[in-house]
């Protein structure tokens, strides 16, 4: 079982709507789960509202996902999840080319262009980490001060050192496997004696083949020399626990659970399916934190409950309720509208759904920044054939990469980037190994022993570099809503306007050169080809590129130092609504070259502390006022 | 008399380059035969197996060149290697008709994992599960030898 038995049945909608909670959280993803778990530990009563259906609450449901994934013809990363018109979600296969002035509204995300991104997120119980890849690098110290250093982007109202203790908490919860000696680079520091919960996952043979050609070589950028090396990525997947963790107390991983594979233990098996789903749950997902939150009975969870409006008292600016639409059947628009109440409200629905909900509630904020500054890493793929067998298609999707160009003075002119070496070969770019097999069988007419010999030759030498490139905030990249576009429940859908910034494109052009250089050092034959008919095809300075979405959504309710330059403060509290927190990637002012989730987890630990303190403060204040306020009666509106 | 499954395995050995033991070890032979029964018009699987029973007089080359059996045979190779069925070409369907099961789909969760593509890549031993923690760090067999 992932969740305590009947945890989702503990309360019903009527009882919940008649309860005044300490905190009401929208969204059961990693952000919401961390907040709920921390508040529950502090003895607070919490209600978590989740739009998705709850069939996935048990391990049986998880395995159902898995079967659906394996059996899906199109293995895009949403393929395990059932279609739910009442809580729709984007799929990477939705993206189409868009023409000026003609938004593409055929899929859930209305793409207003000019760039049509294939970025995705998942609206299921547990949110997007149910299928993430689980790379967990910290941001670099430089990433927090880009405006001060280079006059670019926004400074954070926080430093790396401020966030460091919360990174430690996040690394514990996610169960990060990494080695401090390989993560102390480009200014990243760790407390003396710190070790990660688990040792780093060993580099793949493919990584080592790349390292042979790359380690110890240099590139020069902006007059600075950078020595390159292949390094293991920190990952939230179970490796070998580090006995030195927590001053020698060690670390007990949250085990892999699987009804028919228990005997295989809890470590990552390297079966190369991390995205979309880990078959043995060696990979962290928010269900693990949610299960803890639900353990002690102070957290109520309601699924099939879509937050549709944030209700604000115009006199005080305080949120006094969240209107929700409750459905039974995902296929039917039948629903009941109710209001959930509490002392403090937390929106943890992700960087697209948070601003969507606020804007749909008519709350664009005093800064006017709600929904603006949408960021998502730009991925450029480059692929080549190595001169030797490298054992591609073994191990987790990615174990190592080249991260030496994540920081430097060159960032004045062009975006920094990190490089993943993909253990799943050209899969992301070409559909390998299936596409290779079809070619060998259909075009080359091979069969039998010849086929058996030819296939490894084709796939075991594949090298794919995924270059993840920084994107800075830009106010015109944004999420809006439009009453012309609604879902089955009548909720307005997100409308995305997006351009890949010029600064990023300069980074893209350099990253492509960099990949070529790496291929040359390895004697690998470049097979990269960008399809001009691809919806994500862009030209820059005469060269064409295809930019893939990074699924690292951020910036849309940015944190800052005041109510004019930001939507939330450094604790993720809304400047406009003192009892409202908007948490998750949306709060991040910049994303650097770090996959965003570890940082958002750290921010959520920090916010949880602040929320607990605020509850205490407000309780003391209330105790001093003689007449306690009556609990307002819930309004129940009939089904439409 | 040779059973349907034996005929199917004999043919699959020729097509895939893997031995009888290795193919049986995937645990998928019955399921794949069933998939063929679902996709091809009634009686056609037996006709096909009868044709292949004429091996080696009837060469694989000849089967692959046959308008009728070529596309089916190629699909069987993809089935063994990837665990998925690929819809037959329109020209084939125009002659032999279409069954609803003749669509692009992965046969089952097991078939995906049992695909010989993973064996070929040295990722999983045939018929067994993945190799386990850290197995990805060592050289693949071909590179080591
Ligand atoms: C394929 C893929 C790979 C990724 N790999 C990585 C990686 O390697 N490293 C990394 O750092 N990040 C990665 N990410 C990103 C990562 O998954 C997200 O950053 C993270 O999950 C966001 O967490 P969240 O809790 O803020 O939002 P989510 O996980 O999106 O959770 C939001 C929750 O809110 C619910 N919800 C939404 N709207 C409503 C509503 N109106 N009412 C009620 N509930 C609602 C949703 O159903 C969902 O459960 C990846 C993402 C994808 C898609
Ligand atoms: S490689 Fe496999 S076992 Fe390891 S985390 Fe990924 S899916 Fe899970």
């Amino acid at each position: 079982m992932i969740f305590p038995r009947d945890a989702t049945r503990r309360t019903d909608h009527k009882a919940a709507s008649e309860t005044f909670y300490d905190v009401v959280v929208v969204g059961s993803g990693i952000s919401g789960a961390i907040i709920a778990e921390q508040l529950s530990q502090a003895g607070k009563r919490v209600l978590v509202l989740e739009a998705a259906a709850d069939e996935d609450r048990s391990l049986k449901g998880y395995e159902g996902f898995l079967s659906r994934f394996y059996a899906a013809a199109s293995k895009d990363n949403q393929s395990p999840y059932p279609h739910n018109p009442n809580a729709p979600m984007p799929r990477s296969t939705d993206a189409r080319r868009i023409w000026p002035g003609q938004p593409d509204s055929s899929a859930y995300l209305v793409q207003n262009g000019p760039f049509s991104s294939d970025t995705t997120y998942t609206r299921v119980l547990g949110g997007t980490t149910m299928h993430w890849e689980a790379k967990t690098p910290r941001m670099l110290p430089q990433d927090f001060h880009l405006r001060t250093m280079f006059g670019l982007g926004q400074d954070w109202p926080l430093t790396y050192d401020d966030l460091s203790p919360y990174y430690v908490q996040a690394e514990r919860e996610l169960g990060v496997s990494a080695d401090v000696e390989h993560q102390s680079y480009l200014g990243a520091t760790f407390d003396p004696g710190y070790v990660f919960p688990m040792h780093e996952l060993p580099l793949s043979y493919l990584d080592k083949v790349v390292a042979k050609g790359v380690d110890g070589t240099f590139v020069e950028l902006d007059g600075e020399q950078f020595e390159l090396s292949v390094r293991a990525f920190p990952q939230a997947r179970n490796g070998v626990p580090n006995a030195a963790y927590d001053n020698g107390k060690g670390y007990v991983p949250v085990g892999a659970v699987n009804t028919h594979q228990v005997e295989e233990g809890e470590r990552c098996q390297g079966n190369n399916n991390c995205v979309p789903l880990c078959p043995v749950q060696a990979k962290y997902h928010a269900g693990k934190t949610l299960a803890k939150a639900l353990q002690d009975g102070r957290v109520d969870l309601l699924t099939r409950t879509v937050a549709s409006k944030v209700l604000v008292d115009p006199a005080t600016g305080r949120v006094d309720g969240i209107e929700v639409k409750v459905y039974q059947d995902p296929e039917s628009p039948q629903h009941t509208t109710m209001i959930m109440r509490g002392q403090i409200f937390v929106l943890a629905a992700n960087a697209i759904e948070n601003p969507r909900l606020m804007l749909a509630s008519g709350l664009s904020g005093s800064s006017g920044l709600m929904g603006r500054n949408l960021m998502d890493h730009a991925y450029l793929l480059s692929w080549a054939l190595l001169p030797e067998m490298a054992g591609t298609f073994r191990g987790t999707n990615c174990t190592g990469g080249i991260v030496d160009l994540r920081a430097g003075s060159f960032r004045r002119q062009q975006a920094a980037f990190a490089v993943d070496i993909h253990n799943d070969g050209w899969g992301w770019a070409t559909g390998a190994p299936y596409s290779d097999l079809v070619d060998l069988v259909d075009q080359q007419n091979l069969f039998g022993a010849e086929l058996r010999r030819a296939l490894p030759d084709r796939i075991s030498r594949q090298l794919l570099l995924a270059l993840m490139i920084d994107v800075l905030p830009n106010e015109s990249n944004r999420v809006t809503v439009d009453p012309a576009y609604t879902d089955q429940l009548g909720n307005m859908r997100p409308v995305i306007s997006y351009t890949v910034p010029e600064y990023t494109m300069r980074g893209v052009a350099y990253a492509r050169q960099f990949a070529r250089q790496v291929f040359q050092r390895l004697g690998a034959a470049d097979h990269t080809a960008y399809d001009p008919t691809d919806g994500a095809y862009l030209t820059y300075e005469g060269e064409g590129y295809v930019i893939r979405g990074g699924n690292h959504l951020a910036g849309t309710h940015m944190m800052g130092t005041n109510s004019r330059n930001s939507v939330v403060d450094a604790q993720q509290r809304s400047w406009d609504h003192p009892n409202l927190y908007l948490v998750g990637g949306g709060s991040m002012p910049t994303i650097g070259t770090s996959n965003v989730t570890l940082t958002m987890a750290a921010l959520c630990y920090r916010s949880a502390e602040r929320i607990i303190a605020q509850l205490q403060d407000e309780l003391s204040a209330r105790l001093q006022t003689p007449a306690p306020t009556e609990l307002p009666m819930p309004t129940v509106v009939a089904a439409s | 008399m040779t059973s349907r499954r034996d005929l199917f395995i004999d043919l699959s050995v020729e097509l895939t380059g893997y031995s009888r033991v290795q193919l049986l070890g995937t645990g998928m032979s019955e399921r794949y035969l069933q998939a063929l029964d679902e996709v091809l018009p009634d009686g056609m699987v037996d006709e096909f197996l009868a044709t292949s029973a004429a091996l080696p007089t009837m060469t694989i080359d000849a089967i692959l060149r046959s308008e009728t059996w070529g596309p089916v045979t190629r699909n069987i190779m993809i089935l063994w290697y990837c665990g998925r069925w690929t819809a037959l070409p329109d020209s084939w369907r125009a002659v032999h008709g279409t069954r609803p099961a003749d669509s692009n789909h992965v046969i089952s969760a097991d078939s995906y994992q049992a695909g010989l593509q993973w064996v070929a890549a040295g990722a999983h031993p045939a018929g067994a599960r993945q190799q386990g923690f850290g197995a990805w760090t060592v050289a693949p067999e071909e590179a080591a030898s």
Side-chain angles (χ1 to χ4, degrees), chain A residues 246-368:
Chain A
D246 200 5
N247 298 316
K249 293 197 201 77
Y251 179 83
V252 182
V254 180
V257 221
N258 182 298
T259 46
H260 48 250
Q261 267 184 296
V262 183
E263 74 282 1
E264 296 205 0
E266 65 209 3
R267 282 178 200 162
C268 168
Q269 308 289 317
N271 45 16
N272 219 321
N273 253 318
C274 306
V275 177
L277 268 176
C278 172
V280 296
Q281 297 198 54
K283 180 177 75 171
Y284 171 84
H285 57 73
K288 295 187 180 186
T289 302
L290 211 49
K292 280 205 289 181
L294 291 168
Q295 216 62 257
D296 57 24
R298 280 188 287 272
V299 176
D300 289 342
L301 170 65
L302 292 175
T303 55
R304 300 178 193 241
T305 308
V306 186
S308 50
K309 196 166 183 192
V310 177
L311 304 169
V312 170
D313 175 347
T316 60
R318 284 179 74 91
V319 173
D320 53 24
I322 301 260
E323 177 198 89
V324 295
K325 293 182 178 171
V326 182
Y327 63 91
Q328 290 305 316
D329 176 3
E331 295 300 328
S332 155
Q334 282 289 324
H335 66 274
T336 312
T337 304
M338 299 178 132
I339 293 173
M340 301 297 165
R341 297 189 192 272
Q343 183 79 11
I344 286 180
F345 295 84
V346 178
L347 303 189
N350 85 30
I352 291 200
E353 294 294 333
N354 273 353
R356 186 208 65 75
L357 176 58
M358 291 296 282
L359 293 169
S361 310
L363 302 169
S364 53
S366 48
S367 64

Side-chain angles (χ1 to χ4, degrees), chain A residues 26-33 49-52 77-78 87 119-137 275-276 286 305-308 348-351 353-354 356-357 379 491 550-553 583-585 594-598 600:
Chain A
V26 177
S28 69
I30 181 170
S31 303
L49 305 171
E50 173 51 57
N77 48 37
Q78 306 282 49
T119 204
T120 61
Y121 54 87
T122 313
R123 286 168 99 190
V124 296
L125 184 58
T128 311
T129 54
M130 296 308 290
H131 81 184
W132 70 326
E133 199 194 320
K135 281 207 192 76
T136 51
V275 177
T305 308
V306 186
S308 50
N350 85 30
E353 294 294 333
N354 273 353
R356 186 208 65 75
L357 176 58
Y379 269 92
N491 289 317
N551 309 312
H552 297 156
L553 298 160
V583 303
S594 129
N595 313 54
V596 289
T597 310
L598 184 81
M600 72 175 76

